Amino acid sequence: MVGQRRYLPWLVNTVLGIGVAIASGCSQTPPNVATTPTAEPTATTAQRSPTTLRLLYSRLPTTLNPHLAAGVQDFEAGRIVLEPLATANERGELVPILAAEIPTVDNEGLAADGKSVTWTLKSDVKWSDGEALTAEDVVFTFDFVSNSEVGAATAQYYEAVESVEAIDDQTVKINFKEVTAAWQIPFTGQTGVVLPKHIFEPVNGPEARLAEVNLQPIGTGAYQVASFQPGGILFEPNPNYRGNQPAFEAVEFVGGLAPYAAAREVLSTGEADFAHNLQVEIDLLEDLQQDGEGVVVPVFGGLVERVMLNPTDPFRETESGERSSLTTTHPFFDDKRVRQAIAYAIDRDTIAEELYGFTGQPTAQILVAPLPYANPGTIPYEFDLDKAKALLDEAGWVDTDEDGIRDRDGVPMEIVFQTSVNPVRQKTQTLVEQNLQELGIDVDIKRVRVDDFFSGDPQQTNSINHFYADMQAYTTGNDHPDPTIYLGWWTCEQIATQANQWQKPNNARYCSAEYDELWEAASQELNSEKRAALFQEMDALLAEDVAAIPIVHRAIANGVSQDLVGLEPTPWDTSTWDIARWQRQKD
């Protein structure tokens, strides 16, 4: 049964069928970019040059400036060219990239009061055009990211910074607005790349996103852009790269491939060397691996696949035209008992086992890594449809007209459940739908183009931040070892609304004074053990309030050629962070 709440033109026009590929409509031709011919994007192992590295992604980048990134693919491609001061290895330990060393209290780089940190740059670093990297480039990068006219996607990672100053050419000091325990977030990892001042200063303003330099940036990385074409990007070695030249003469970054097609090229046919984040059912991946050309390498970090329940009404509009407004409550998800019932009705074990296998583990926690901040396994979960039914009965949602759908006061329990077009997510939707129907809840499945679902465009009403549905599923997590920014997404100040153009990350519309107080305390707590306890208390509070329903602690499941060596995967940076060391294993 479908009730009146569902019959809206936007829903009819945006629901996509299962057969639509992820690549549909994802590739865009960047404007005003001179391109040169490259090799055709398909080749057999025998035809491909061993000195060409071929990388496969589901989406083509729209920018190579990570500070303006609209998706993971932008960070992945941008990090081939641009670098941060430091990054974190798999264990969450900082390792220097452009910095000469990691600041500590002992080397006087880290202020004991938590209000500043001083970095010393390596002395031999040049940009790919031959200009020297200096502290002024770091200062400029902060000016660029914090410029409201630019609208940088990474601005939230620098909100704690008061100022950045160049002490001399090789020394830069970051001053914080107040005591800041997460001093290591600015200028580290994929959100911390340094931009060349002499290249980006002319476009530091409202037209920044349209600048051609975003597509062919000057960087300090091992490779530079040779051409940017509709089907992919060709990189070549940076002649001014410090140290040894990289092993490959060319890197092909190919976008717009469906996950299974990408998996087949790396794992089965050997047509490519690397495929990023293969969201393909585990049994299919295992079958492809048997051909022996490549293997699936799971990289576990902070990513959690979750189901979000909308506490606001996505079908009622305010006078300004906003739906899912804080001024309108959801007809049943505003009741914690109903949210708890939904959580009981989701079979995490089955989803993890059947769809993820060795690339996912069931969880009920939002914070899953790293230790000691996370404490996995401490928040229990249970699949129990009887408990779910009892909670709905207690909340007054019963089937009064015997049509199989629970209702109360004339309102049926009907939900629109949306997520991006992806084979694993579609099967997750189906499993959840079956269990909710058994509870007496009618589910309408909505599948949205990937680019639309993860869009930051204020006009794109199918985005996760608009949340114009009752439920939605997606993956996110902390992309830095320090989870301060990530856990800040549940604070009241970060709620996505029409007033902030849906640019803030709290699409759960969750707001709790108790949670905000815990977050503020953790942000300034310099004792790591006390901070960990605060983070875990916040995680427990989110679970108690059912602010989200975590399902699976997901790995980034990359396909890697058997003869590709030198990779040191870390969940705290892009897959390409160490591409300078990748090489093909000789027979």
Side-chain angles (χ1 to χ4, degrees):
M1 174 183 177
V2 178
Q4 187 177 5
R5 289 177 70 235
R6 300 233 191 114
Y7 281 112
L8 295 172
W10 63 270
L11 183 58
V12 175
N13 292 333
T14 58
V15 176
L16 301 180
I18 293 179
V20 179
I22 283 183
S24 174
C26 292
S27 298
Q28 300 178 14
T29 305
N32 304 320
V33 178
T35 60
T36 56
T38 64
E40 289 297 317
T42 58
T44 64
T45 305
Q47 293 171 331
R48 285 197 305 119
S49 167
T51 60
T52 295
L53 178 68
R54 182 174 165 83
L55 315 177
L56 306 182
Y57 288 78
S58 61
R59 301 166 73 193
L60 182 68
T62 57
T63 181
L64 297 186
N65 181 349
H67 293 298
L68 303 178
V72 172
Q73 73 287 348
D74 299 332
F75 285 107
E76 288 280 322
R79 276 290 277 114
I80 296 175
V81 176
L82 295 160
E83 299 177 299
L85 297 183
T87 196
N89 62 21
E90 187 176 12
R91 296 179 298 278
E93 302 163 339
L94 282 182
V95 293
I97 303 293
L98 295 177
E101 62 181 352
I102 301 302
T104 65
V105 173
D106 290 341
N107 65 23
E108 299 183 348
L110 183 61
D113 62 4
K115 290 187 177 181
S116 68
V117 60
T118 301
W119 293 84
T120 301
L121 304 181
K122 290 177 178 175
S123 59
D124 60 342
V125 181
K126 292 183 178 181
W127 297 102
S128 57
D129 62 358
E131 293 287 326
L133 168 77
T134 73
E136 289 295 341
D137 294 307
V138 183
V139 174
F140 167 75
T141 300
F142 174 69
D143 292 341
F144 183 90
V145 172
S146 58
N147 185 346
S148 60
E149 291 185 329
V150 170
T154 56
Q156 62 180 311
Y157 296 89
Y158 298 83
E159 288 178 348
V161 177
E162 176 68 34
S163 64
V164 178
E165 54 183 315
I167 304 302
D168 55 43
D169 281 351
Q170 304 303 126
T171 310
V172 61
K173 183 180 182 182
I174 302 171
N175 301 298
F176 297 105
K177 297 174 183 176
E178 54 190 2
V179 176
T180 299
W183 60 268
Q184 68 272 47
I185 288 181
F187 300 106
T188 66
Q190 63 184 354
T191 60
V193 300
V194 178
L195 302 176
K197 178 180 179 179
H198 66 288
I199 299 297
F200 281 90
E201 189 171 37
V203 299
N204 184 15
E207 303 301 312
R209 290 182 179 274
L210 303 177
E212 292 183 15
V213 292
N214 294 316
L215 302 176
Q216 293 186 304
I218 300 300
T220 56
Y223 296 92
Q224 62 185 6
V225 178
S227 67
F228 198 136
Q229 298 190 12
I233 307 168
L234 183 67
F235 297 90
E236 61 187 6
N238 170 6
N240 289 301
Y241 184 64
R242 61 196 181 277
N244 298 325
Q245 281 289 293
F248 295 97
E249 295 177 2
V251 177
E252 295 179 352
F253 190 110
V254 182
L257 274 76
Y260 184 80
R264 185 180 62 244
E265 286 200 27
V266 174
L267 305 179
S268 178
T269 67
E271 296 172 64
D273 300 294
F274 178 90
H276 178 258
N277 196 17
L278 296 172
Q279 296 187 51
V280 179
E281 300 95 312
I282 190 61
D283 57 338
L284 297 178
L285 290 178
E286 290 176 337
D287 287 345
L288 290 172
Q289 278 191 138
Q290 293 180 9
D291 291 330
E293 290 292 338
V295 295
V296 177
V297 178
V299 183
F300 281 96
L303 294 181
V304 175
E305 180 80 6
R306 75 280 310 275
V307 170
M308 309 297 289
L309 308 181
N310 198 338
T312 62
D313 194 329
F315 300 98
R316 289 172 56 193
E317 285 191 0
T318 63
E319 291 184 1
S320 64
E322 180 180 18
R323 301 209 308 272
S324 291
S325 166
L326 294 175
T327 63
T328 62
T329 57
H330 195 276
F332 40 86
F333 284 155
D334 64 332
D335 188 329
K336 187 166 79 170
R337 293 170 296 184
V338 175
R339 300 196 301 272
Q340 290 172 328
I342 302 296
Y344 276 126
I346 294 179
D347 189 352
R348 295 170 172 85
D349 290 336
T350 296
I351 292 171
E353 180 180 349
E354 293 187 0
L355 303 183
Y356 291 88
F358 63 86
T359 68
Q361 304 161 352
T363 187
Q365 297 181 227
I366 285 296
L367 181 62
V368 292
L371 299 173
Y373 294 143
N375 195 2
T378 57
I379 299 177
Y381 64 87
E382 188 176 358
F383 172 57
D384 193 323
L385 294 179
D386 289 334
K387 285 185 178 180
K389 291 174 183 177
L391 282 167
L392 295 178
D393 289 342
E394 180 185 324
W397 292 92
V398 296
D399 184 7
T400 62
D401 54 9
E402 299 183 352
D403 65 349
I405 306 300
R406 291 175 182 263
D407 59 89
R408 191 181 73 181
D409 301 329
V411 177
M413 291 197 91
E414 299 170 347
I415 62 173
V416 174
F417 182 15
Q418 73 174 12
T419 191
S420 59
V421 176
N422 174 282
V424 175
R425 290 210 172 101
Q426 264 69 87
K427 291 199 173 184
T428 299
Q429 280 182 308
T430 298
L431 291 171
V432 173
E433 177 188 24
Q434 292 170 350
N435 289 333
L436 294 188
Q437 286 176 336
E438 189 170 340
L439 295 184
I441 299 175
D442 195 16
V443 181
D444 198 354
I445 296 297
K446 177 183 176 185
R447 292 156 185 157
V448 184
R449 283 182 68 245
V450 173
D451 282 7
D452 295 343
F453 191 68
F454 294 106
S455 174
D457 183 352
Q459 304 304 315
Q460 179 49 259
T461 58
N462 283 318
S463 73
I464 57 174
N465 276 7
H466 279 77
F467 201 175
Y468 286 176
D470 302 288
M471 291 171 47
Q472 62 182 0
Y474 61 91
T475 288
T476 191
N478 46 312
D479 49 15
H480 283 262
D482 190 295
T484 302
I485 299 294
Y486 171 55
L487 292 177
W489 294 352
W490 276 269
T491 58
C492 301
E493 183 183 356
Q494 296 298 327
I495 293 176
T497 65
Q498 185 181 58
N500 57 49
Q501 293 290 289
W502 297 278
Q503 296 304 299
K504 294 198 173 183
N506 186 354
N507 58 68
R509 273 67 164 174
Y510 179 73
C511 185
S512 162
E514 180 183 359
Y515 184 90
D516 282 12
E517 289 176 5
L518 289 170
W519 185 81
E520 290 289 346
S523 299
Q524 298 187 47
E525 180 54 66
L526 299 179
N527 181 286
S528 61
E529 291 184 2
K530 292 180 180 179
R531 286 191 82 212
L534 289 167
F535 287 143
Q536 291 162 24
E537 189 174 352
M538 292 157 67
D539 196 13
L541 181 57
L542 292 174
E544 170 64 24
D545 287 346
V546 199
I549 303 177
I551 301 176
V552 177
H553 176 196
R554 265 194 54 201
I556 299 172
N558 295 325
V560 181
S561 172
Q562 290 277 22
D563 66 359
L564 192 62
V565 297
L567 290 73
E568 295 184 14
T570 174
W572 313 118
D573 204 334
T574 64
S575 302
T576 57
W577 79 277
D578 61 342
I579 198 169
R581 297 199 291 266
W582 295 12
Q583 54 187 301
R584 201 175 302 286
Q585 186 173 256
K586 294 183 175 66
D587 293 333

